[in-house]
Amino acid sequence: LRDWVLGVCQNYGFNTIGVHNELAVINVPRPAVPYMQPFRILEIPHWYKEIPDENFVDVFAPKFMADCDKLAAEIAAPRRNDPYLLGYSMNDCPLFTEEDCRERTDVIGGMRREFRGIGWPRRLRNLGPDAPGKEVYVRVMKKIYRDNIKDFNTTYGTAFDSFDALASAVNWRPGTELSNANETRDNVVFLLACVDRYYKCAFEAIRRHDPNHLFVGDKLHANTDCVDTVLKTTSKYTDILFYQMYGKYEVQKFGLDRWSKIVDQPIINGDSAFTHVGESMPFPFGPIASSLEERVDWTQTFFREAFARPEFIGWHYCGLFDIDNHLEHKKYRQHSGVMDTYGTPYPGLREAIKENADKMYQIATRGI
């Protein structure tokens, strides 16, 4: 397996192993390929069919910091001197914003997607007065409403006689009225406090046990409003802007333009690819090209345009093999790879990826 994977890396010009791969065998018995190490202190990724409310843990509780430190001792401490480790990445597109969480058509094309999770604002504001997260929520609301409970009641249609009464209220507002501009604003402000605490705890825990490698943070979902909402907060702790976005370069360009003005950090697209329809791949995830030739063209265009940007330093291509409709869980949606189900490279695609990978530094320094 090791020899085969290293051969694939050479044949395609892949020079790192992305965060979704649990392929430690590649660097055993000796290191061969730089890699990213998962650090999953939370389980709130966008692709889970269901996420229990309890997964949106109270990040303000002392236990969360202790859990971060315990995981860092297990994962980061043994790797602190690994020269092939690039950095630590957390969740795969965590459910942060209302747009991340809500029921909707799949953001990269497809059938209706069920509601995934309640999210931090709704989870923590409905806890009891003994929860540290509820205490922070009330403090944030008091600041927003200048300690005026009547104005708070106007927004939410409630009848609290004080913010202490709000602190004691359990399950007082399980849903969010998306058309209520003040409520959505309040949720964003509190969400950023939650994200800040989450990142601070994880970052400090990793740094205590490994001061030598990058902190990448979550792979942020750029097909929603997530990056634009949380970037100023997450970038206080991260060394890289690590995002996922499915779209042609002309679609991704506008986000890259915005984000590069907000933060002065290198940028990696940690999960993206282009697809085309095949006999056992009638409806693949991602932007669907009309032919293999068009898919190759989209791939080349993205590579050459993105890597010509001064801030863009990496692309984790997804995925390796076609996962086709012969598998029950892929009956309605399939996942494209650079090879078909039997490991046969798509003609033209491998050559295009390898050619551009070989010219990566030429593209990055001069453009072509």
Side-chain angles (χ1 to χ4, degrees), residues 311-329:
E311 75 280 1
F312 192 91
I313 64 166
W315 177 12
H316 293 177
Y317 194 97
C318 185
L320 191 57
F321 293 105
D322 282 352
I323 306 178
D324 66 19
N325 62 2
H326 291 100
L327 295 174
E328 182 62 31
H329 71 291

Side-chain angles (χ1 to χ4, degrees), residues 24 58 61 120 128 163 258 290 296 298:
D58 189 342
W120 265 319
F163 281 100
R258 289 195 307 276
S290 59
V296 170
W298 289 358

Side-chain angles (χ1 to χ4, degrees), residues 19-80:
V19 72
H20 293 309
N21 297 286
E22 301 286 354
L23 291 176
V25 66
I26 295 175
N27 288 331
V28 176
R30 58 193 180 280
V33 183
Y35 69 100
M36 278 196 178
Q37 174 61 42
F39 184 84
R40 300 195 180 103
I41 191 65
L42 296 176
E43 292 292 341
I44 53 172
H46 76 119
W47 54 271
Y48 279 15
K49 288 186 176 180
E50 293 182 4
I51 296 180
D53 292 352
E54 294 75 19
N55 284 26
F56 295 93
V57 303
D58 189 342
V59 292
F60 298 99
K63 182 180 183 302
F64 181 70
M65 174 60 86
D67 289 344
C68 286
D69 193 76
K70 179 181 178 182
L71 186 63
E74 295 173 359
I75 290 179
R79 294 172 171 83
R80 62 182 293 150

